[in-house]
Amino acid sequence: MTPGVALGAPSELELSRRAWRQRRARRSTLVALLSTLLFGVVAYLVVTSAPGWPRVRTTFFSPTVAWESMPEIGAGLWLNLQVLLVGGFLVMVVGLLAALTRSLRGPAFAPLRIVATAYVDLFRGIPLIIVLYLVGFGFPALGLQGMPTSPFVLGTAAIVLVYGAYVAEVFRAGIESVHPSQRAAARSLGLNHRQTMRIVVLPQALRTVTPALLNDFVALQKDVGLISVLGAVDAVRSAQILVGQSFNFTPYVVAGLLFVLLAIPSARLADAVTARARRRQQSGSLL
Amino acid sequence: MSEVASSPVGAAPAPVLEVRGVVKAFGDNVVLRGVDLAIGEHQVVALIGGSGSGKSTLLRCASLLETVDDGQVLLDGEDITDPRIDADRVRRRMGVVFQAYNLFPHLSVLDNVTLAPTVVHGRSKGEAREEALALLARIGLSDKADEFPDRLSGGQQQRVAIVRALAVHPRVLLLDEITSALDPELVGEVLAVVREVATQGMTIVMATHEMGFARQVADTVAFLDGGVLLECGPPAQVLGDPVEARTRQFLARVIDAGRL
């Protein structure tokens, strides 16, 4: 925003307006900082003045226990991270396939559509933990040749089944949000259904649903902790073991904080992507 | 023009809307390079010029949809580009009609029109409804009051948009190329509404490509070129006998396209 370059220096008036805006921005920041600080102080005083605080502090916030539990929980978190990355990728694939299948037109595809719809209905309905139990304990019990028994593989599969169903609906909403006129324009150019989807509809749909997908990714980050119910020694499980050994709950707090640290970057990324999408859609600078 | 161009307060009536040296850039693209324009009470000003000449940007700056990068816009003598003013309060005194109608698709025609009077201006539902129905009757759309916008033709939607803007009794009506998205056969019905509103004494600033309409309805025609107000005067002079070579060139091209 430097029109002055082309038109000579800005007028006194404009300079004073800019100065005022800057002052106001600075004041707003200051007010925000002070109110945050005040809130923090009040919250701290309320918690620490509680009668049970000294005991809570030693059982939940013991620095020595926290420090000693760090390596084991960290190693467990590495497992969670692997599940997250592999699972996240597979969730996208499964979700996209289910969404595309559901949006197929024509009577010939009816059976496929029904399968996809049934999958989405089923796995959006069942609680994740039940799917984990059924997949984690049921599949190995079949005793089939080559059936994996590692809780890592089975846990990831269960998570992918459930999150794939959620993400399928996000994708489908995105596909349907692209205005029909776009499809009409593409088809009238001679593109077939597949090309229309791949070249015209999906790129626009993806742009719309990216914030929602990132939100699901953040949710996935903490749900990977649920594979501990299958016996996988992840961050949650190792915290549980440490709590059992020491009768001190600090490892839970440590695991919780580590999950939060894991989630913050993606949450900020989601914010940034959303903000960018909004900027692109909006020409007016004032509304 | 002479009566409104000069002094702020004094003998001549103060202009309703005044633009003083407005500069606006989007990044490196300087769209307005210091535009001056004054619009007196009951005046109808037509902004003409090619695409990208800054007509729409000027209207968007005047309606506070964009911040100016320099200069001032005054509404009834009040500097509305001052960041200290309450922009919402200023916008309440203006009516804006957009090229793409921008009716709210989830509200009926009547609700579109009564929204601002009831929610923003605190008028009673019954009163707002009565006035909205009267306005709709004036543009011949009373029977569409309960329809939703997507059931209306473009021309009908744009007429409703004009009524929606009028329902708040604005000091000035800003029309941003309101017929550019319409079929030629629908342009007439929209312009007829604007003409009627103008004869009722509304102060209007309109960016338009309809030179014939500008000639008939406007008191002043302003020609913008490259973000500069090149020529400003009565329609007969600006459109009939322009001083600037650029204006002549522009008009020649418009005539070639059969639009004048």
Side-chain angles (χ1 to χ4, degrees):
Chain A
M1 291 267 265
T2 48
V5 173
L7 294 140
S11 66
E12 284 293 310
L13 182 76
E14 174 62 18
L15 289 175
S16 77
R17 280 198 295 242
R18 282 181 202 173
W20 187 83
R21 281 194 195 104
Q22 210 169 26
R23 274 202 305 279
R24 191 182 51 173
R26 238 180 269 138
R27 202 177 50 197
S28 310
T29 316
L30 197 69
V31 168
L33 277 176
L34 282 177
S35 58
T36 310
L37 196 69
L38 183 72
F39 177 81
V41 167
V42 168
Y44 177 79
L45 289 178
V46 167
V47 170
T48 54
S49 68
W53 171 243
R55 244 185 43 218
V56 167
R57 193 176 50 194
T58 47
T59 35
F60 284 87
F61 300 102
S62 155
T64 44
V65 177
W67 180 249
E68 281 161 12
S69 65
M70 208 64 103
E72 273 170 71
I73 295 179
L77 195 70
W78 171 235
L79 182 70
N80 289 122
L81 204 60
Q82 284 170 299
V83 176
L84 176 67
L85 294 179
V86 176
F89 174 73
L90 290 176
V91 163
M92 292 284 283
V93 174
V94 170
L96 191 56
L97 281 179
L100 287 174
T101 314
R102 284 197 80 179
S103 58
L104 283 178
R105 317 233 151 150
F109 297 113
L112 281 176
R113 271 202 306 271
I114 290 170
V115 169
T117 311
Y119 159 68
V120 170
D121 283 355
L122 186 67
F123 284 99
R124 277 202 308 166
I126 312 184
L128 173 56
I129 197 145
I130 291 182
V131 179
L132 274 164
Y133 282 135
L134 293 181
V135 172
F137 300 132
F139 280 21
L142 287 174
L144 282 175
Q145 189 83 48
M147 175 64 73
T149 51
S150 111
F152 169 76
V153 176
L154 292 167
T156 307
I159 286 175
V160 168
L161 280 173
V162 170
Y163 269 82
Y166 281 118
V167 167
E169 285 304 276
V170 172
F171 274 126
R172 199 165 69 104
I175 289 169
E176 277 170 15
S177 76
V178 177
H179 199 268
S181 58
Q182 289 292 306
R183 217 161 296 170
R187 294 310 284 271
S188 59
L189 285 171
L191 275 65
N192 61 29
H193 174 81
R194 233 186 139 127
Q195 293 164 326
T196 304
M197 268 293 169
R198 188 167 54 82
I199 305 168
V200 177
V201 177
L202 274 183
Q204 298 185 54
L206 270 179
R207 204 173 278 178
T208 332
V209 300
T210 307
L213 284 178
L214 283 165
N215 185 40
D216 278 346
F217 186 70
V218 174
L220 178 65
Q221 277 179 337
K222 52 187 188 202
D223 278 357
V224 293
L226 285 173
I227 59 164
S228 58
V229 302
L230 300 181
V233 186
D234 72 332
V236 178
R237 187 76 185 164
S238 22
Q240 219 165 16
I241 294 168
L242 290 167
V243 169
Q245 288 166 350
S246 65
F247 299 108
N248 188 303
F249 290 100
T250 308
Y252 282 146
V253 175
V254 171
L257 284 177
L258 288 177
F259 273 107
V260 172
L261 282 182
L262 194 62
I264 286 174
S266 3
R268 288 291 78 76
L269 179 68
D271 284 355
V273 169
T274 314
R276 213 185 63 170
R278 200 180 48 221
R279 272 200 305 277
R280 190 165 32 209
Q281 281 172 2
Q282 211 172 43
S283 57
S285 53
L286 271 183
L287 293 180
Chain B
M1 248 333 258
S2 55
E3 64 179 46
V4 290
S6 55
S7 63
V9 210
V16 175
L17 186 72
E18 193 177 354
V19 175
R20 286 187 194 158
V22 161
V23 172
K24 177 67 190 174
F26 296 101
D28 293 334
N29 179 21
V30 184
V31 181
L32 297 175
R33 299 170 182 272
V35 173
D36 294 290
L37 186 64
I39 298 100
E41 184 116 48
H42 311 307
Q43 252 204 330
V44 177
V45 175
L47 300 172
I48 63 167
S51 297
S53 59
K55 305 186 295 289
S56 285
T57 305
L58 185 58
L59 287 180
R60 290 182 67 87
C61 286
S63 52
L64 297 188
L65 294 170
E66 303 283 356
T67 41
V68 299
D69 291 330
D70 209 339
Q72 282 176 298
V73 180
L74 297 101
L75 181 65
D76 287 320
E78 181 191 15
D79 179 5
I80 61 173
T81 42
D82 186 332
R84 266 153 289 209
I85 57 122
D86 178 358
D88 287 336
R89 194 177 51 77
V90 171
R91 290 197 194 99
R92 268 175 232 164
R93 285 146 59 199
M94 299 193 191
V96 182
V97 182
F98 302 92
Q99 180 175 340
Y101 336 133
N102 298 11
L103 292 178
F104 304 121
H106 60 298
L107 298 178
S108 71
V109 164
L110 187 66
D111 289 341
N112 262 285
V113 178
T114 56
L115 180 70
T118 53
V119 174
V120 180
H121 294 264
R123 252 173 268 159
S124 79
K125 276 237 155 68
E127 194 190 329
R129 192 188 140 84
E130 225 166 89
E131 193 190 337
L133 286 173
L135 282 167
L136 287 171
R138 247 172 69 190
I139 60 165
L141 287 178
S142 342
D143 55 325
K144 304 284 186 195
D146 295 320
E147 294 276 14
F148 284 85
D150 58 358
R151 301 286 302 274
L152 271 57
S153 75
Q156 290 170 334
Q157 289 190 48
Q158 195 59 293
R159 280 145 67 197
V160 173
I162 295 172
V163 163
R164 180 175 69 172
L166 286 176
V168 300
H169 304 291
R171 280 293 284 151
V172 55
L173 192 60
L174 306 175
L175 310 177
D176 189 0
E177 293 187 28
I178 59 168
T179 57
S180 297
L182 293 175
D183 284 348
E185 56 172 333
L186 300 177
V187 169
E189 64 185 59
V190 171
L191 293 185
V193 172
V194 177
R195 190 191 308 264
E196 203 216 311
V197 173
T199 44
Q200 307 259 327
M202 177 59 70
T203 309
I204 298 177
V205 188
M206 56 183 183
T208 186
H209 289 295
E210 301 290 334
M211 300 305 156
F213 182 71
R215 185 199 288 267
Q216 289 165 29
V217 176
D219 308 304
T220 304
V221 172
F223 175 65
L224 273 168
D225 185 58
V228 178
L229 194 75
L230 271 192
E231 195 156 357
C232 187
Q237 182 256 308
V238 176
L239 297 173
D241 181 25
V243 180
E244 298 287 333
R246 272 295 296 141
T247 319
R248 270 199 294 279
Q249 210 179 351
F250 171 75
L251 290 171
R253 230 176 290 143
V254 172
I255 291 166
D256 278 347
R259 296 296 285 268
L260 185 66

